[in-house]
């Protein structure tokens, strides 16, 4: 990481960042080019695993079946940092990047558990029920995270110094 001053190394802080990041971007390989797909997700902490649902057909699923090794990215906490000159402007953000291996979930019980993790991320409720026909139509897969890193660029108003001074 080039900007080690922005690196987040505490696992608890990294996991907390996920709470305000609603979209996960999958980075897939398509004929030597990046194929980037935004998806909603759910997750568990130990080990860090993301759950995604999808149609069972389409380019994303084709590419995942050809090569289950992917990259991913999430970002959030976006805020413009103003300056007096154009080149002084910047952007505050949180970001997470990493690599994972994809596994498709076929077992009905495991599929329901994965979907409940996804639903909990977005609704804070995890006791959903699913019709068999719905479960048969949806493709669910998990990203077993093999490596990840996080960084944060704080807005000056959110810096520890600003908070100490009551700003």
């Amino acid at each position: 990481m080039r900007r080690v001053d922005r690196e987040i190394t505490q696992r608890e802080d990294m996991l907390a960042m996920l709470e305000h990041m609603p979209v996960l971007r999958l980075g897939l390989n398509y004929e030597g080019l990046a194929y980037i797909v935004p998806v909603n997700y759910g997750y568990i902490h130990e080990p860090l695993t993301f759950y995604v649902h999808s149609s069972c057909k389409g380019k994303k699923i084709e590419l995942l079946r050809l090569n289950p090794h992917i990259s991913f990215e999430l970002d959030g906490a976006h805020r413009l940092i103003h300056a007096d000159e154009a080149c002084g402007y910047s952007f505050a953000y949180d970001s997470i990047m990493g690599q994972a291996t994809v596994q498709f979930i076929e077992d009905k019980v495991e599929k329901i558990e994965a979907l409940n993790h996804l639903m909990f991320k977005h609704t804070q409720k995890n006791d959903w029920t699913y019709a068999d026909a719905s479960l048969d139509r949806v493709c669910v897969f998990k990203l077993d995270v093999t490596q990840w890193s996080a960084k944060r660029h704080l807005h000056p108003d959110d810096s520890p110094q600003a908070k100490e001074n009551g700003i």
Side-chain angles (χ1 to χ4, degrees):
M1 181 173 301
R2 185 180 67 83
R3 294 294 306 263
V4 295
D5 59 313
R6 295 182 181 169
E7 185 176 18
I8 304 299
T9 58
Q10 296 299 313
R11 184 175 175 83
E12 304 80 41
D13 295 336
M14 295 168 74
L15 291 169
M17 292 169 78
L18 291 173
E19 294 303 315
H20 63 86
M21 297 175 170
V23 176
L24 170 83
R25 289 171 192 82
L26 305 175
L28 313 176
N29 183 359
Y30 178 59
E31 298 179 357
L33 298 173
Y35 186 83
I36 301 166
V37 182
V39 295
N40 297 110
Y41 67 96
Y43 65 97
I44 59 171
H45 296 180
E46 284 298 330
L48 182 59
T49 304
F50 293 106
Y51 296 101
V52 178
H53 75 300
S54 172
S55 167
C56 293
K57 295 181 181 180
K59 180 65 70 184
K60 170 180 61 206
I61 298 301
E62 289 174 30
L63 295 176
L64 288 172
R65 292 199 187 279
L66 285 172
N67 183 358
H69 303 285
I70 65 151
S71 296
F72 63 87
E73 185 274 345
L74 305 100
D75 57 82
H78 305 118
R79 244 174 109 189
L80 184 63
I81 299 172
H82 296 270
D84 294 330
E85 297 179 10
C87 292
Y89 272 74
S90 186
F91 226 84
Y93 62 87
D94 288 349
S95 71
I96 294 175
M97 297 180 69
Q99 287 82 46
T101 302
V102 170
Q103 290 186 39
F104 288 91
I105 299 173
E106 305 298 337
D107 178 76
K108 179 180 174 180
V109 172
E110 190 178 357
K111 192 182 264 195
I112 290 169
E113 184 178 321
L115 289 169
N116 278 337
H117 285 298
L118 194 148
M119 291 303 297
F120 183 79
K121 165 77 173 131
H122 300 284
T123 68
Q124 301 303 298
K125 179 182 169 191
N126 65 357
D127 59 348
W128 298 90
T129 57
Y130 305 89
D132 286 340
S134 296
L135 290 172
D136 291 342
R137 281 193 313 270
V138 69
C139 183
V140 178
F141 55 93
K142 65 181 178 176
L143 283 60
D144 293 319
V145 175
T146 56
Q147 185 279 327
W148 64 308
S149 62
K151 73 179 186 178
R152 170 175 287 144
H153 182 199
L154 283 175
H155 191 281
D157 292 347
D158 297 330
S159 71
Q161 296 85 358
K163 290 180 180 177
E164 283 177 15
N165 296 329
I167 298 175

